[in-house]
Amino acid sequence: MSGDIKMRRAIGSHGTVHGVDGLQQRHDAAQTLPALFCDSTGCAAPLIFVPARPRPKTDPAYPAPMPGYFALDKGAAHVTGCRYNVAGHLAEVLDAAAASDPAFVQRLEDGRHELRLLALHQGLKRGGGALPEQQMRLLSTLLVLRAMCGNDALLADRVVLRLGKKKLAWDAFFHDPARYDEAWARLDAASNEVPMALLGTVRSHRSPPPGTGAGATYLNCAPKYQKTGVMDRREFYEVSVGHDDAAWLQRFPVGAEIVMFGLWRQGNSHTSTRSHPTDPRRSITNVTHKLALRPGSPGQLAVVA
């Protein structure tokens, strides 16, 4: 399961530290990439560079690419104690939480842990930032660990999510950009507000124009774009976080991968039509669906690092 972990740094065979941006530039220039290894002390597991998917030059409306990352080479594994050994780190975090806050994290007889989200859910519904700080920190840690994995397998195997009397499946709780449409559909079908976590890449920040008075700043993530099967009709799923503290939102820079947790809301869907760029007899219809979050606690957003 650790083979799906996303890493942001690697070490070359001569001890050089390589970051994602530098390797992306070399990849884009079709240059030979160096041999890469895990940068955690004592590990040195062989890695590969997974480049960002480039934006198609023929379609400027296509969403920004997901960031590149480093991953284990096929058949490789992190050593015990490596900081990228998410399975080991997850076990330590859960055991410590079960000992210090058994009302939030309970160890089950089968060795798994149950995460009880009701107190956080109630705090979100009250608003005003009234979230249990220790519980929010733990959830943030778990969400970052989930974001570092390529799928739900590890977390779903180790952590049971419970909201009151009901259990939540991880695939209904955590949505990466490829599943923004499923998050939107879940909100559309829900009769009550449900907490969800979304993973995104910061695309922009938008603040009110100077002189217009106080207002929210919005952090916008790269949207999901998908074809609909209908000629010249496309759908976009846009994710944004609004807050009155512009300085706080701007601490999450453009290009950063972040996890966002809370009670999401559907915005109004918007339809626009424009002429086809090469065939004036045709028109292109874009349908935009919006998912919005107004966090009350700083812990609801975290950088994946």
Side-chain angles (χ1 to χ4, degrees):
M1 294 178 183
S2 61
D4 292 322
I5 301 307
K6 300 177 181 178
M7 292 162 274
R8 295 335 192 251
R9 297 197 322 167
I11 297 292
S13 54
H14 298 291
T16 303
V17 177
H18 295 282
V20 169
D21 291 344
L23 267 291
Q24 185 70 48
Q25 291 175 6
R26 295 175 66 164
H27 172 271
D28 293 345
Q31 297 177 355
T32 301
L33 302 185
L36 300 168
F37 305 92
C38 178
D39 72 329
S40 185
T41 302
C43 185
L47 308 179
I48 58 172
F49 176 63
V50 181
R53 183 178 58 182
R55 181 197 300 268
K57 295 180 180 179
T58 57
D59 190 354
Y62 198 86
M66 293 298 293
Y69 60 93
F70 301 101
L72 282 172
D73 201 352
K74 185 177 181 180
H78 294 292
V79 299
T80 301
C82 174
R83 63 193 178 98
Y84 296 112
N85 184 347
V86 172
H89 184 43
L90 177 63
E92 292 177 1
V93 169
L94 292 172
D95 285 342
S100 63
D101 191 357
F104 184 51
V105 178
Q106 184 177 22
R107 185 181 290 105
L108 302 178
E109 293 182 356
D110 60 6
R112 295 183 297 169
H113 290 77
E114 186 173 83
L115 191 68
R116 298 178 173 180
L117 299 171
L118 186 59
L120 286 177
H121 185 218
Q122 291 172 337
L124 290 170
K125 293 178 70 173
R126 288 193 298 267
L131 296 180
E133 183 177 350
Q134 181 177 343
Q135 295 183 5
M136 193 62 245
R137 283 200 305 268
L138 173 62
L139 178 59
S140 179
T141 297
L142 295 179
L143 292 177
V144 168
L145 290 176
R146 166 58 187 87
M148 292 174 65
C149 300
N151 53 54
D152 293 324
L154 177 61
L155 273 295
D157 183 62
R158 306 288 182 86
V159 182
V160 176
L161 300 174
R162 179 174 292 279
L163 184 62
K165 296 181 179 180
K166 296 182 179 180
K167 293 182 180 179
L168 292 177
W170 271 94
D171 62 0
F173 177 67
F174 187 97
H175 297 79
D176 61 24
R179 299 179 58 240
Y180 283 170
D181 57 326
E182 295 179 33
W184 192 88
R186 177 165 168 74
L187 291 178
D188 195 47
S191 57
N192 298 309
E193 293 180 317
V194 292
M196 291 195 304
L198 270 64
L199 174 66
T201 300
V202 180
R203 183 181 63 172
S204 65
H205 302 85
R206 180 171 61 83
S207 296
T212 59
T217 289
Y218 288 90
L219 178 155
N220 303 302
C221 292
K224 177 186 179 180
Y225 158 76
Q226 66 182 17
K227 295 180 180 179
T228 62
V230 178
M231 180 178 290
D232 297 333
R233 180 181 174 90
R234 305 180 303 180
E235 291 186 338
F236 294 84
Y237 291 85
E238 295 186 345
V239 169
S240 63
V241 178
H243 202 276
D244 293 335
D245 188 345
W248 173 61
L249 283 183
Q250 289 167 353
R251 292 175 195 164
F252 302 95
V254 171
E257 194 173 23
I258 62 174
V259 286
M260 302 156 282
F261 165 74
L263 298 179
W264 290 84
R265 300 182 184 277
Q266 283 184 322
N268 293 327
S269 296
H270 175 71
T271 301
S272 63
T273 303
R274 63 180 176 86
S275 299
H276 194 280
T278 60
D279 186 349
R281 297 169 300 178
R282 295 162 56 190
S283 61
I284 296 176
T285 299
N286 293 327
V287 182
T288 302
H289 308 286
K290 296 182 180 292
L291 297 107
L293 178 67
R294 287 279 293 187
S297 168
Q300 289 178 246
L301 269 64
V303 174
V304 180

